[in-house]
Amino acid sequence: MYDVSGLPGLETAAGLLPPNPDCFFLIRRPPQPAFCDAVLGFTGYAERTSGHFRQIQAAPLAVPLIISFSSFFTIALGRAPEQNERFTCFTSGLYAGPAVIDSFGTSACIQVDFTPTGARRFFGVPMHELAARMIALDDILGPLASRLRERLGAEPDWNRRLGIVESIVYRRLLECPAPDRQTAIALHRIATSHGSASMAGLAAELDCSRKHLVEMFHRNVGIAPKTYARMVRFHRVRQLAMSSGRALADIAFECGFSDQAHMSRDFMEFSGETPSRWKRRVS
């Protein structure tokens, strides 16, 4: 269970799940409108058949919080996980590359997907401390993580499980400072431009230096603004490739790449495979 962010044009959990829908349970709940700037959604997930399921998850734009109350996942960033890389309750900041996720037929968890600024508020730490890392929740939330895991495991009803997590997330967000306005503006400009916004133009609009812009992104998003924009553009490529049936060269041109080879290099960096191979696999 990982990228179920629900952002427009991004993959949902469909790629992660076993191919037979009878093999899993999935329930989703959108955030309350007042928290849409911080939370993208809540998902409950459980596997109902044994097996070894692997997903190579392309660089997501959401920050997940996973609370597992059953078996572990094995996860690594940019490579296949080792057997000892086991996680039950964890988070991971933004990473400009693929995550490899293995589950084994007995997983059950609740996932919360945060926007980068929502994660900054919820976890209360600079986002560069979470970026490109797998972090056990005990290390960042303390005893709350184990208490939450036990409570969810003891609750048999999935809707009440989601309600428990919602309540904790919303209460913690209300206790935290409002998101940084400059960061929110910059993220909006990058999103609406599909990743083509100029960093110099962003800095000028925010009346700050490019150095300040980079420092602000490291603190509130976790990665450099240019890297974030490239990830947004990568997801736009995937959206167009899935929905339009157009040639990859045409998509590269529309998304502002100098040529198809440049697009393919970015695609490989963020997903671990070429656009053509990915398209064959998901078609």
Side-chain angles (χ1 to χ4, degrees):
M1 196 62 185
Y2 205 68
D3 181 7
V4 288
S5 63
L7 286 171
L10 303 191
E11 283 189 343
T12 65
L16 167 63
L17 304 177
N20 184 344
D22 294 332
C23 295
F24 65 89
F25 168 83
L26 189 69
I27 181 172
R28 292 193 180 98
R29 183 176 294 180
Q32 293 181 9
F35 296 94
C36 285
D37 63 332
V39 180
L40 296 164
F42 301 84
T43 303
Y45 168 80
E47 294 169 349
R48 293 175 170 170
T49 188
S50 60
H52 179 184
F53 307 113
R54 168 165 289 183
Q55 168 70 5
I56 301 176
Q57 185 66 62
L61 295 172
V63 178
L65 161 65
I66 310 290
I67 309 111
S68 173
F69 41 91
S70 183
S71 65
F72 58 85
F73 298 91
T74 61
I75 307 175
L77 301 178
R79 57 176 175 79
E82 303 289 340
Q83 288 188 351
N84 63 345
E85 293 179 297
R86 298 179 176 184
F87 297 89
T88 51
C89 300
F90 63 93
T91 188
S92 179
L94 297 187
Y95 172 63
V100 183
I101 309 149
D102 287 349
S103 58
F104 304 93
T106 55
S107 296
C109 66
I110 299 289
Q111 174 165 332
V112 186
D113 286 297
F114 291 102
T115 65
T117 53
R120 172 74 171 96
R121 293 170 61 195
F122 180 83
F123 291 113
V125 298
M127 290 306 293
H128 64 78
E129 294 184 11
L130 307 184
R133 296 177 59 198
M134 302 297 306
I135 302 172
L137 284 189
D138 289 340
D139 294 340
I140 190 169
L141 296 183
L144 174 63
S146 57
R147 291 200 302 268
L148 185 53
R149 185 173 192 263
E150 292 172 4
R151 190 176 175 190
L152 293 177
E155 172 56 66
D157 183 84
W158 279 97
N159 280 302
R160 286 198 291 269
R161 283 171 175 159
L162 288 172
I164 289 168
V165 175
E166 270 191 304
S167 177
I168 291 171
V169 167
Y170 294 153
R171 184 167 63 246
R172 192 174 175 98
L173 288 172
L174 286 172
E175 294 170 353
C176 296
D180 177 82
R181 184 173 178 274
Q182 282 190 317
T183 306
I185 292 172
L187 289 172
H188 178 71
R189 294 288 185 269
I190 291 172
T192 54
S193 70
H194 303 300
S196 65
S198 155
M199 298 303 107
L202 274 178
E205 180 178 353
L206 298 174
D207 192 24
C208 68
S209 67
R210 294 185 66 173
K211 180 181 178 182
H212 176 80
L213 180 67
V214 170
E215 291 172 347
M216 180 179 72
F217 260 72
H218 275 285
R219 182 173 62 253
N220 295 322
V221 180
I223 57 178
K226 186 174 182 180
T227 302
Y228 184 83
R230 291 175 60 220
M231 289 167 63
V232 169
R233 184 165 64 165
F234 157 73
H235 283 288
R236 174 64 170 169
V237 169
R238 294 207 307 173
Q239 178 190 29
L240 292 174
M242 282 293 293
S243 63
S244 68
R246 294 161 56 190
L248 291 174
D250 293 339
I251 292 172
F253 177 77
E254 177 167 337
C255 291
F257 289 95
S258 56
D259 53 36
Q260 186 176 338
H262 182 193
M263 182 184 77
S264 295
R265 287 193 297 272
D266 267 23
F267 204 101
M268 175 65 78
E269 178 182 345
F270 294 132
S271 71
E273 59 187 337
T274 64
S276 55
R277 181 181 176 185
W278 168 79
K279 194 169 182 181
R280 287 195 302 269
R281 181 170 59 80
V282 300
S283 297

